[in-house]
Amino acid sequence: MNATPARLGATAEDYARIGISPGRVAPWEDGTRTGGDAGTYEWWYFDAHLDDGAKLVVVFYTKNFTDIAKPPAPTIRIDLDLPDGTSHHKIGKFAPEEFSASRERCDVRIGANVFSGDLHSYQIVAEVEDIVVEISLVGDVPAWRPATGHLYYGADDEHEFDWLPAVPQGKVEATYRVAGASAETSGVGYHDHNWGNAPMTSLVDNWYSARGQAGPYSVIASYVTAERKYGYAEIPIFILAENGKVIADDGGKVTFERLGAYTDTTTGKPVANLTRYTYTDGDDSYVVAFTRHRDLTATKLIDEIEGPKKLAARIVGFDVAYLRFTGELRIEHHHAGVLVDSHADSAIWELMYLGKARAGR
């Protein structure tokens, strides 16, 4: 198969063209990068593992990333898994004129809802139906991106999928209300920002994306597999911090394993019960393993499409699935083959599967 190129932008020319600097993230990078223009998509994402046992995800979208040719269709998603095991998944849709976003920094408004911050401190206020959340996020690990954060596809880099982890890990203070019943708690959170200029289904076959903390370590680990026309090119993304200081972030030093594969009954996609990232740098290696305990979400995105669009999606074979898991994160440090230390904690991670199911993938 003659594959079209896919790569992570990391050359001096890439940095100059985008107007960013290696190793330093500017506040405007978390501002709007597309404005919701036709042919683009963009979202600002937050998740948290809360001390009371709840798990919370909030996403502000300019539009559905599967329908990017259209003008802005602002949407908010809230996923709240309560300590008692009940789950709430809400999607709020708004008129285009209810969306605004600054190009100078992250300041996104959808109706009366707010996602705003400066790469260190963020405030998020969102309400969808009977779910209301008020969140403060303060970074413990500085804003970071893998090289330029731009993944390019095509012989002339004409298509891109872009990613900025603005808060790789931070402290969270949160209030959430469900049907009028309120809870206040704290926890650990994460915020990133994605955008692009081509349908993701045309670029990406699947990706695992994970983050968490254990002992003094915090990690973001992602593995992106490009679509078939790009030869299923694999792009690892990895950052490991110890006590808030980055100690490993070269994706070229990462090997990735999918272990204990099974077929998810809801989505029909192959899923790994264990995903393991091994970072090797001379005599030192770090093994980061995510072991699935249960699913938080397993969704076929066609089920969220309404009316005639759903029939059209079925006709063209639209088969995108999104799964989010919770389980154990274990981080081990080895030196010269000897285990130096090991820490474990709970974590949240996800699998977005945009292509057709492939065994073990």
Side-chain angles (χ1 to χ4, degrees):
M1 180 173 60
N2 294 322
T4 303
R7 68 184 184 92
L8 173 63
T11 68
E13 291 78 7
D14 292 328
Y15 284 100
R17 181 175 62 254
I18 301 165
I20 58 178
S21 302
R24 183 175 65 85
V25 180
W28 68 265
E29 296 183 54
D30 202 22
T32 184
R33 307 297 291 274
T34 70
D37 297 339
T40 70
Y41 61 87
E42 188 165 10
W43 70 76
W44 291 260
Y45 173 95
F46 163 86
D47 73 31
H49 197 110
L50 300 173
D51 293 342
D52 67 354
K55 298 170 181 64
L56 175 63
V57 174
V58 181
V59 194
F60 282 36
Y61 300 88
T62 60
K63 66 182 73 170
N64 190 320
F65 66 82
T66 64
D67 199 10
I68 71 172
K70 299 294 180 63
T75 302
I76 295 174
R77 179 174 187 142
I78 301 176
D79 295 329
L80 176 61
D81 296 275
L82 296 175
D84 65 5
T86 59
S87 297
H88 300 270
H89 306 290
K90 302 292 185 179
I91 296 176
K93 299 182 178 181
F94 298 80
E97 60 270 20
E98 295 182 273
F99 174 84
S100 67
S102 170
R103 291 191 176 273
E104 303 303 317
R105 66 181 186 94
C106 177
D107 188 14
V108 187
R109 312 281 170 144
I110 300 179
N113 306 281
V114 178
F115 199 132
S116 181
D118 60 3
L119 299 180
H120 179 64
S121 299
Y122 285 81
Q123 298 295 320
I124 303 168
V125 179
E127 179 176 359
V128 179
E129 297 178 15
D130 61 346
I131 306 294
V132 181
V133 297
E134 298 176 6
I135 301 156
S136 169
L137 172 66
V138 178
D140 288 326
V141 177
W144 172 86
R145 51 175 140 68
T148 65
H150 288 54
L151 280 67
Y152 291 114
Y153 300 81
D156 299 315
D157 295 338
E158 59 267 32
H159 301 308
E160 58 188 75
F161 168 59
D162 307 317
W163 181 48
L164 173 68
V167 181
Q169 179 182 300
K171 295 182 178 67
V172 171
E173 299 293 334
T175 299
Y176 59 84
R177 293 194 292 276
V178 180
S182 181
E184 295 184 17
T185 185
S186 55
V188 177
Y190 165 89
H191 157 51
D192 70 12
H193 177 190
N194 292 91
W195 64 99
N197 67 353
M200 292 176 64
T201 51
S202 70
L203 305 180
V204 177
D205 182 79
N206 70 85
W207 81 71
Y208 280 93
S209 182
R211 55 262 169 206
Q213 66 169 11
Y217 299 107
S218 55
V219 65
I220 299 174
S222 185
Y223 205 76
V224 181
T225 302
E227 236 290 318
R228 182 178 185 275
K229 70 177 290 186
Y230 302 103
Y232 297 120
E234 297 177 334
I235 303 174
I237 295 170
F238 187 91
I239 173 177
L240 181 67
E242 183 178 12
N243 295 317
K245 181 180 179 181
V246 176
I247 59 174
D249 68 348
D250 182 352
K253 297 179 179 179
V254 174
T255 57
F256 177 69
E257 299 169 276
R258 304 172 182 86
L259 303 172
Y262 68 97
T263 300
D264 176 69
T265 56
T266 299
T267 64
K269 302 296 188 180
V271 178
N273 262 314
L274 170 65
T275 50
R276 186 161 60 204
Y277 303 77
T278 301
Y279 188 99
T280 304
D281 187 4
D283 287 338
D284 288 294
S285 64
Y286 296 90
V287 180
V288 177
F290 294 86
T291 302
R292 169 185 167 270
H293 289 171
R294 67 182 180 93
D295 298 342
L296 297 176
T297 301
T299 305
K300 298 177 71 173
L301 266 62
I302 196 169
D303 294 336
E304 297 180 0
I305 302 175
E306 300 173 350
K309 290 182 179 179
K310 177 172 284 193
L311 176 60
R314 292 190 187 280
I315 291 172
V316 300
F318 181 78
D319 190 26
V320 176
Y322 175 69
L323 301 101
R324 186 183 301 118
F325 320 101
T326 185
E328 182 193 77
L329 161 63
R330 182 170 295 276
I331 301 176
E332 298 178 347
H333 177 201
H334 300 256
H335 181 77
V338 177
L339 179 64
V340 176
D341 63 359
S342 176
H343 300 272
D345 210 327
S346 58
I348 298 171
W349 64 100
E350 64 188 21
L351 167 63
M352 178 70 84
Y353 212 119
L354 299 108
K356 298 298 181 183
R358 295 187 294 137
R361 297 292 178 176

